Amino acid sequence: MRWVFLTAALTVASSQVLAAEPAATGVISYPSSYFAEVGPTTAFDMVSRLPGFTFDKGTVQRGLEGSGGNVLIDGEVPVAKNDTLDETLKRIPAGGVLRIDVIRGGAPGIDMQGRSVVANVVRKSAAGFRGAASFTTWLLNDHRVLNGLRSEGQWRWDGKVAELSMVLGKGPFDQLGAGPRTRTAANGNPLIRSQFDGEGGGQRQWLTGAFETPLQGGRLRINATYMVNPSYNENTDRLSFPGGKEYEYLTNDKLQAELGGRYTRPLGQLNSFEVVAFHQWNNVETKDDFSSPAINRKFALDKRVTESVGRLQMRRKQSPTLTLETFIEGASNTLVSKTALTQNATAVRLPAANVRVEESRAQVSVSAGWRPNPKFGVDIALREESSSVTSSGDVVLENTYTFVKPRFAVTWSPDPNDQFRLRVEREVSQLNFDDFISSSSVASTGAVLAGNPNLSPQQAWVTEVAAERRFWKTGVAILSARHFQLTDVIDRAPVLIGGIARADAPGNIGDGTKDELTASLAIPLAKFGLPTAQLKTQATLRRSEVTDPATGLKREISILRPVEWEAHFTQDLPHWKSNWGIDVTGQYRERAFRYNELETLKIGTWIVAFLEYKPKPDIALRIEAQNLGARDTRRIREVYNGSRGLKSFNYVDFRDLEYGPALQIRIRKTL
């Protein structure tokens, strides 16, 4: 299956195409009228229908540089972290969008955030009120009924904008369900046979607001978010052999809040500057209780994270073809974490159980964008990043890091339908605060997954090439290849206590490589007898290699998925005031290489069929039949006696869970 999409993309890319004149400038504009037959309700619906564009909501990381997704709003990156980009776009009513620009290779005055392609949602500036309210219900296979309510409003007057939204509701966790579990010893004898039954879910209690106003010749925007997200997992394992029951109940209570602001102002006709300030709070309290005939474990985690960021960016239009930019960004981050584990009422010592980590970060950058003509563009950037990490408590250390990160990107559009892109860049990953603390999975598995604050950031030299072909006005085929030359790879490594491996924790395990090949295809289906229909597909093949610290042999990097693919079919039915479609997310596999265990997670194919009906322009009814293939989740734990390098195999634990189909119904009223 995975080769089908690659072959299709290459075949269509070589076919005869029709000219799309706007593509010659590198910016393709889609006015709101382009989406009229689709009848979108939000800006997110419109972005999802852009030909040849795959939405990416960005990554969760400290600082603002590089954390945003690949969609801008009025040419700017939203100043938010916990309030994700897809949620931001869902709050923008489709009637408030003037157009969406797809920017390929860069454009004057646009911060591409290091990406080759971004979309820019340009909103209407007309005064007035726009809003919407929606009600959603999930009817699950296990007879649960989960409801949700969402409302948002936007007011514009005298150049000012006020926004307010609220989300209240419950949702399911779709990787739990019912199914068999077996545990088999190295000699083939059964150790456990059981029937597993698990369910999980969470709540959203969100309040988001923003205010934007002209100020002193510029524009000021302030936004705030308050989010409460409690969740739970409840698992019951009834053992037919040797008998008894295992029971686990996990709660994970999150409280997230953030406050951000941006001020932009032109300085004459050639210069402009931007100031951004941001602060966020993230509190997480986790409790995991596990009981069985032989062992009872209790795990508790209290984690509190804060971040403050400030950024100043200057932009100068040196000439009609040359734009210069520079920025300086500083951030202060703090993590306070306390963990505790008891086994049969006896305390168990965890590495890095109680720590306080403080990080100070600074980054400075200068860049230039040169576009001598519509066919050719060059972007050059030089950034320097410095950080200092100190830890106290169970782990006392102080580390300082400095990295220089050059970037070179060139774009060539020989004709309106073709574009070729090349990027060479040094990337430096951020240290993940979650790697500094222990994992709750120790309660159910007994495998100690410890934290480790003594990490160096992973670095990579990245080379990327991409070819894009546009055809039949709205068809697009893109093929891209990326090579990563990795240094200080962060993966799982043994923790030595008294010279003996006693636990597993994140660690720097040396150099490695990663290669990715991605093909995407958006094809209008009118030529195949399906008017107003479109098929969008994307597939990624991924190969990686690193030296395993437990065995000394070469292996793939933990948790990287070797294959990912998805396909989306939609057809608009204007006469029926409807549209329908099928979304398919392909199966994937993740594998974690721990010092005494191989854990493999296999997630089956997710299939959704939907129908959306608009009896009136301001009312939309959407019905989704989710998980039509009854996707299963398989977890395979291959456990060893001590290090895997000793090759002393103990047992394999296999669990196969089926989540089951679900029905989601949503009605939305536009105001």
Side-chain angles (χ1 to χ4, degrees):
M1 174 65 74
R2 61 179 181 264
W3 295 107
V4 172
F5 299 108
L6 298 176
T7 304
L10 292 170
T11 302
V12 175
S14 62
S15 65
Q16 184 65 32
V17 300
L18 299 178
E21 193 63 33
T25 64
V27 179
I28 306 175
S29 293
Y30 296 90
S32 57
S33 59
Y34 171 82
F35 305 94
E37 288 188 340
V38 182
T41 56
T42 69
F44 183 76
D45 299 332
M46 301 168 79
V47 168
S48 301
R49 296 300 297 268
L50 290 172
F53 183 81
T54 301
F55 173 74
D56 180 0
K57 67 179 181 181
T59 59
V60 177
Q61 62 182 33
R62 297 180 302 284
L64 298 174
E65 173 64 14
S67 63
N70 61 354
V71 178
L72 309 177
I73 299 175
D74 293 329
E76 297 177 339
V77 180
V79 185
K81 292 285 191 70
N82 301 312
D83 184 22
T84 57
L85 181 57
D86 55 334
E87 292 293 331
T88 301
L89 293 172
K90 289 175 183 178
R91 289 198 299 270
I92 301 175
V97 177
L98 178 65
R99 69 177 190 276
I100 300 180
D101 297 332
V102 176
I103 303 168
R104 306 145 63 229
I110 294 295
D111 184 1
M112 300 290 289
Q113 290 281 299
R115 298 178 180 271
S116 300
V117 179
V118 300
N120 181 30
V121 176
V122 181
R123 294 179 294 180
K124 296 177 180 177
S125 58
F129 169 78
R130 297 180 185 274
S134 61
F135 174 78
T136 303
T137 185
W138 272 278
L139 307 176
L140 304 183
N141 186 62
D142 57 11
H143 308 298
R144 283 182 292 166
V145 178
L146 307 179
N147 299 320
L149 179 66
R150 181 190 187 106
S151 62
E152 55 252 355
Q154 181 188 92
W155 296 260
R156 284 183 176 269
W157 75 101
D158 298 332
K160 299 178 177 65
V161 182
E163 301 170 1
L164 185 65
S165 71
M166 177 193 69
V167 177
L168 296 172
K170 298 180 179 181
F173 179 48
D174 57 23
Q175 290 187 15
L176 285 176
R181 174 195 172 201
T182 59
R183 178 177 291 183
T184 307
N187 60 9
N189 292 334
L191 300 176
I192 290 178
R193 293 196 190 99
S194 69
Q195 184 68 25
F196 185 94
D197 188 8
E199 72 170 42
Q203 298 183 40
R204 289 181 174 183
Q205 302 168 23
W206 297 355
L207 185 64
T208 302
F211 177 70
E212 190 174 331
T213 182
L215 180 66
Q216 297 296 314
R219 194 157 189 86
L220 173 67
R221 180 179 175 85
I222 299 174
N223 56 273
T225 301
Y226 184 81
M227 311 170 78
V228 178
N229 297 277
S231 63
Y232 78 96
N233 289 350
E234 184 176 18
N235 305 320
T236 303
D237 208 2
R238 295 176 174 85
L239 281 61
S240 58
F241 176 83
K245 182 178 75 172
E246 294 182 355
Y247 178 78
E248 180 182 18
Y249 191 78
L250 180 147
T251 59
N252 196 45
D253 296 329
K254 292 183 179 180
L255 171 62
Q256 301 168 297
E258 59 186 38
L259 177 66
R262 171 190 280 117
Y263 179 68
T264 57
R265 188 181 189 280
L267 298 173
Q269 296 184 351
L270 301 180
N271 303 314
S272 65
F273 78 92
E274 175 182 276
V275 178
V276 177
F278 178 84
H279 186 81
Q280 68 167 331
W281 302 261
N282 284 277
N283 299 338
V284 180
E285 184 176 355
T286 302
K287 294 182 179 180
D288 193 353
D289 293 348
F290 174 83
S291 62
S292 71
I295 295 176
N296 295 320
R297 301 189 188 96
K298 293 181 180 293
F299 176 87
L301 164 67
D302 187 0
K303 180 180 70 171
R304 300 176 185 274
V305 178
T306 60
E307 177 184 32
S308 299
V309 184
R311 177 184 174 107
L312 172 63
Q313 181 166 334
M314 303 287 294
R315 180 180 289 118
R316 176 176 176 81
K317 189 175 182 181
Q318 187 68 25
S319 71
T321 61
L322 179 62
T323 302
L324 305 177
E325 293 184 12
T326 182
F327 76 78
I328 182 170
E329 179 177 301
S332 175
N333 303 276
T334 302
L335 162 71
V336 178
S337 172
K338 296 181 180 180
T339 56
L341 173 67
T342 61
Q343 182 167 302
N344 293 336
T346 301
V348 177
R349 181 175 177 267
L350 295 175
N354 301 302
V355 296
R356 178 185 177 90
V357 181
E358 297 180 353
E359 180 192 41
S360 298
R361 299 174 53 83
Q363 185 169 198
V364 62
S365 170
V366 292
S367 61
W370 180 51
R371 282 160 184 79
N373 57 62
K375 294 185 177 182
F376 189 73
V378 177
D379 289 279
I380 301 175
L382 183 64
R383 295 163 291 167
E384 183 176 270
E385 172 188 308
S386 299
S387 62
S388 175
V389 179
T390 61
S391 175
S392 58
D394 290 351
V395 180
V396 179
L397 59 84
E398 182 174 354
N399 291 326
T400 300
Y401 311 100
T402 300
F403 300 101
V404 177
K405 304 183 295 183
R407 181 178 190 272
F408 173 79
V410 61
T411 303
W412 177 47
S413 304
D415 57 60
N417 297 310
D418 295 292
Q419 187 177 87
F420 301 92
R421 299 184 285 269
L422 168 68
R423 175 176 68 99
V424 179
E425 182 174 5
R426 189 191 190 198
E427 296 181 346
V428 178
S429 69
Q430 287 193 356
L431 296 177
N432 187 343
F433 272 8
D434 287 339
D435 288 340
F436 296 177
I437 58 180
S438 299
S439 168
S440 63
S441 62
V442 64
S444 59
T445 66
V448 179
L449 306 183
N452 180 17
N454 192 19
L455 293 170
S456 296
Q458 178 176 292
Q459 307 119 59
W461 278 101
V462 184
T463 303
E464 178 181 13
V465 293
E468 177 180 317
R469 178 76 164 175
R470 293 189 170 259
F471 58 95
W472 301 343
K473 293 185 178 180
T474 60
V476 186
I478 304 173
L479 183 66
S480 61
R482 291 171 291 274
H483 174 72
F484 299 76
Q485 196 67 38
L486 304 170
T487 304
D488 288 333
V489 174
I490 296 178
D491 207 316
R492 309 305 302 187
V495 176
L496 300 179
I497 301 176
I500 301 176
R502 302 287 188 185
D504 187 80
N508 296 112
I509 64 171
D511 298 342
T513 60
K514 181 175 68 171
D515 296 288
E516 296 178 342
L517 181 65
T518 299
S520 61
L521 172 68
I523 179 170
L525 300 178
K527 291 181 177 292
F528 302 94
L530 292 173
T532 64
Q534 181 189 63
L535 175 66
K536 294 179 68 173
T537 67
Q538 179 166 298
T540 297
L541 304 180
R542 190 176 290 112
R543 179 182 179 275
S544 63
E545 185 177 273
V546 73
T547 300
D548 192 325
T551 65
L553 302 176
K554 298 293 185 181
R555 62 159 171 85
E556 65 187 73
I557 297 174
S558 291
I559 309 302
L560 286 184
R561 302 171 183 176
V563 179
E564 292 182 280
W565 64 270
E566 59 187 67
H568 308 276
F569 168 83
T570 55
Q571 185 178 24
D572 307 315
L573 306 172
H575 294 296
W576 297 89
K577 301 178 182 179
S578 305
N579 65 79
W580 75 284
I582 299 176
D583 297 322
V584 181
T585 302
Q587 62 183 2
Y588 63 85
R589 187 265 291 168
E590 294 178 352
R591 178 166 292 158
F593 294 81
R594 304 192 173 98
Y595 87 100
N596 67 337
E597 178 183 334
L598 288 178
E599 182 175 11
T600 303
L601 185 67
K602 297 182 178 180
I603 306 295
T605 301
W606 182 265
I607 304 174
V608 175
F610 68 87
L611 172 67
E612 188 164 297
Y613 170 58
K614 283 192 169 185
K616 296 181 179 181
D618 59 344
I619 296 178
L621 174 65
R622 183 182 178 93
I623 300 175
E624 288 188 6
Q626 301 179 344
N627 196 25
L628 291 178
R631 178 177 77 176
D632 60 351
T633 299
R634 299 182 179 183
R635 190 184 71 168
I636 306 165
R637 297 179 57 229
E638 302 169 66
V639 181
Y640 292 75
N641 291 307
S643 172
R644 287 185 291 108
L646 300 176
K647 299 182 180 179
S648 178
F649 185 70
N650 190 0
Y651 64 82
V652 58
D653 192 285
F654 177 79
R655 190 174 73 182
D656 187 1
L657 307 181
E658 184 178 292
Y659 171 66
L663 185 67
Q664 184 190 73
I665 303 173
R666 185 189 72 195
I667 184 167
R668 180 182 174 96
K669 166 68 174 176
T670 302
L671 306 174

Coordinates of all heavy atoms in Angstrom, one line a residue, residues 363-395:
Q363 N 18.7 33.4 22.1 CA 18.9 33.1 20.7 C 19.0 34.4 19.9 O 18.1 35.3 20.1 CB 17.9 32.2 20.1 CG 18.1 31.7 18.7 CD 17.2 30.6 18.2 OE1 17.5 29.9 17.2 NE2 16.1 30.4 18.9
V364 N 19.9 34.6 19.0 CA 20.0 35.7 18.1 C 20.1 35.3 16.7 O 20.7 34.2 16.4 CB 21.2 36.6 18.5 CG1 22.5 35.9 18.4 CG2 21.2 37.9 17.7
S365 N 19.5 36.0 15.8 CA 19.5 35.6 14.4 C 19.6 36.7 13.5 O 19.0 37.8 13.7 CB 18.2 34.8 14.1 OG 18.0 34.5 12.7
V366 N 20.2 36.6 12.3 CA 20.2 37.5 11.2 C 19.9 36.7 10.0 O 20.4 35.6 9.8 CB 21.6 38.2 11.1 CG1 21.8 39.2 12.2 CG2 22.7 37.3 10.9
S367 N 19.1 37.2 9.1 CA 18.7 36.5 7.9 C 18.4 37.5 6.8 O 18.2 38.7 7.0 CB 17.4 35.7 8.2 OG 16.3 36.5 8.5
A368 N 18.5 36.9 5.6 CA 18.2 37.7 4.4 C 17.4 36.9 3.4 O 17.6 35.7 3.2 CB 19.5 38.2 3.7
G369 N 16.4 37.5 2.8 CA 15.6 36.9 1.7 C 15.7 37.7 0.4 O 15.4 38.9 0.4
W370 N 16.2 37.0 -0.6 CA 16.5 37.7 -1.9 C 15.7 37.0 -3.0 O 15.8 35.8 -3.2 CB 18.0 37.6 -2.2 CG 18.4 38.2 -3.5 CD1 18.1 39.5 -3.9 CD2 19.2 37.6 -4.5 NE1 18.7 39.7 -5.1 CE2 19.3 38.6 -5.6 CE3 19.7 36.4 -4.7 CZ2 20.0 38.4 -6.7 CZ3 20.4 36.1 -5.9 CH2 20.6 37.1 -6.9
R371 N 14.9 37.8 -3.7 CA 14.0 37.3 -4.7 C 14.2 38.3 -5.9 O 13.4 39.2 -6.1 CB 12.6 37.2 -4.3 CG 12.4 36.0 -3.4 CD 11.2 36.0 -2.6 NE 11.2 34.8 -1.8 CZ 11.9 34.7 -0.6 NH1 12.7 35.7 -0.2 NH2 11.9 33.5 0.0
P372 N 15.2 38.0 -6.8 CA 15.5 38.9 -7.9 C 14.4 38.8 -9.0 O 14.3 39.8 -9.7 CB 16.8 38.3 -8.4 CG 16.9 36.9 -8.0 CD 16.2 36.9 -6.7
N373 N 13.7 37.7 -9.0 CA 12.6 37.6 -10.0 C 11.6 36.6 -9.5 O 11.9 35.9 -8.5 CB 13.1 37.2 -11.4 CG 13.9 35.9 -11.3 OD1 13.4 34.9 -11.0 ND2 15.2 36.0 -11.7
P374 N 10.4 36.5 -10.1 CA 9.4 35.6 -9.5 C 9.8 34.1 -9.6 O 9.2 33.3 -8.9 CB 8.2 35.8 -10.5 CG 8.4 37.2 -11.0 CD 9.9 37.4 -11.1
K375 N 10.8 33.8 -10.4 CA 11.2 32.4 -10.5 C 12.3 31.9 -9.5 O 12.5 30.7 -9.4 CB 11.7 32.1 -11.9 CG 10.7 32.3 -13.0 CD 11.3 31.9 -14.4 CE 10.2 32.0 -15.5 NZ 10.7 31.6 -16.8
F376 N 12.9 32.8 -8.8 CA 14.1 32.4 -8.1 C 14.1 33.1 -6.7 O 13.8 34.3 -6.6 CB 15.4 32.8 -8.8 CG 16.6 32.2 -8.2 CD1 16.9 30.9 -8.3 CD2 17.5 33.1 -7.5 CE1 18.1 30.4 -7.7 CE2 18.7 32.6 -7.0 CZ 19.0 31.2 -7.1
G377 N 14.4 32.4 -5.7 CA 14.5 33.0 -4.3 C 15.5 32.3 -3.5 O 15.8 31.1 -3.6
V378 N 16.2 33.1 -2.7 CA 17.3 32.5 -1.8 C 17.0 33.1 -0.4 O 16.7 34.3 -0.2 CB 18.7 32.9 -2.2 CG1 19.7 32.4 -1.2 CG2 19.0 32.4 -3.6
D379 N 17.1 32.2 0.6 CA 17.0 32.6 2.0 C 18.2 32.1 2.8 O 18.6 30.9 2.7 CB 15.7 32.0 2.7 CG 14.5 32.7 2.2 OD1 14.1 33.8 2.7 OD2 13.8 32.1 1.3
I380 N 18.9 33.0 3.5 CA 20.1 32.7 4.3 C 19.9 33.2 5.7 O 19.4 34.3 5.9 CB 21.3 33.3 3.6 CG1 21.5 32.8 2.2 CG2 22.6 33.0 4.5 CD1 22.7 33.5 1.5
A381 N 20.2 32.3 6.7 CA 20.0 32.7 8.1 C 21.2 32.2 8.9 O 21.7 31.1 8.6 CB 18.7 32.2 8.6
L382 N 21.6 32.9 9.9 CA 22.6 32.5 10.8 C 22.1 32.8 12.2 O 21.8 33.9 12.6 CB 23.9 33.2 10.6 CG 25.1 32.8 11.4 CD1 25.5 31.3 11.2 CD2 26.3 33.7 11.2
R383 N 21.9 31.7 13.0 CA 21.4 31.9 14.4 C 22.4 31.3 15.3 O 23.1 30.3 15.0 CB 20.1 31.1 14.5 CG 19.0 31.7 13.6 CD 17.8 30.7 13.5 NE 18.2 29.6 12.7 CZ 17.6 28.4 12.5 NH1 16.4 28.3 13.2 NH2 18.0 27.5 11.8
E384 N 22.5 31.9 16.5 CA 23.3 31.3 17.6 C 22.4 31.2 18.8 O 21.7 32.1 19.2 CB 24.5 32.2 17.9 CG 25.3 31.6 19.0 CD 26.6 32.5 19.3 OE1 27.6 32.2 18.7 OE2 26.5 33.4 20.2
E385 N 22.5 30.0 19.4 CA 21.6 29.6 20.5 C 22.5 29.3 21.7 O 23.5 28.5 21.6 CB 20.7 28.4 20.1 CG 19.9 27.8 21.3 CD 19.3 26.5 20.9 OE1 18.5 26.6 19.9 OE2 19.4 25.5 21.6
S386 N 22.2 29.9 22.9 CA 22.9 29.6 24.1 C 21.9 29.2 25.2 O 20.8 29.8 25.3 CB 23.8 30.8 24.5 OG 24.7 31.1 23.6
S387 N 22.2 28.2 26.0 CA 21.4 27.8 27.1 C 22.2 27.4 28.3 O 23.3 26.8 28.1 CB 20.4 26.8 26.7 OG 21.1 25.6 26.3
S388 N 21.6 27.6 29.5 CA 22.3 27.2 30.7 C 21.2 26.4 31.5 O 20.1 26.9 31.7 CB 22.8 28.3 31.5 OG 23.3 27.9 32.7
V389 N 21.5 25.2 31.9 CA 20.6 24.3 32.6 C 21.2 23.9 33.9 O 22.4 23.5 34.0 CB 20.3 23.0 31.8 CG1 19.4 22.1 32.6 CG2 19.7 23.3 30.5
T390 N 20.5 24.2 35.0 CA 20.9 23.8 36.4 C 19.9 23.0 37.0 O 18.7 23.1 36.8 CB 21.2 25.1 37.2 OG1 20.0 25.8 37.4 CG2 22.2 26.0 36.7
S391 N 20.3 22.0 37.8 CA 19.4 21.1 38.4 C 19.8 21.0 39.9 O 21.0 20.9 40.2 CB 19.5 19.7 37.8 OG 18.7 18.8 38.5
S392 N 18.8 20.9 40.8 CA 19.1 20.7 42.2 C 18.1 19.7 42.7 O 17.1 19.3 42.0 CB 18.9 22.0 43.0 OG 17.6 22.5 42.8
G393 N 18.3 19.2 43.9 CA 17.5 18.1 44.4 C 18.3 16.8 44.3 O 19.4 16.7 44.7
D394 N 17.6 15.7 43.8 CA 18.3 14.4 43.6 C 19.4 14.5 42.7 O 20.3 13.6 42.7 CB 17.3 13.4 43.2 CG 16.3 13.0 44.3 OD1 16.5 13.5 45.4 OD2 15.3 12.3 44.0
V395 N 19.4 15.4 41.7 CA 20.5 15.5 40.7 C 21.0 16.9 40.7 O 20.2 17.9 40.5 CB 20.0 15.1 39.3 CG1 21.1 15.3 38.3 CG2 19.4 13.7 39.2

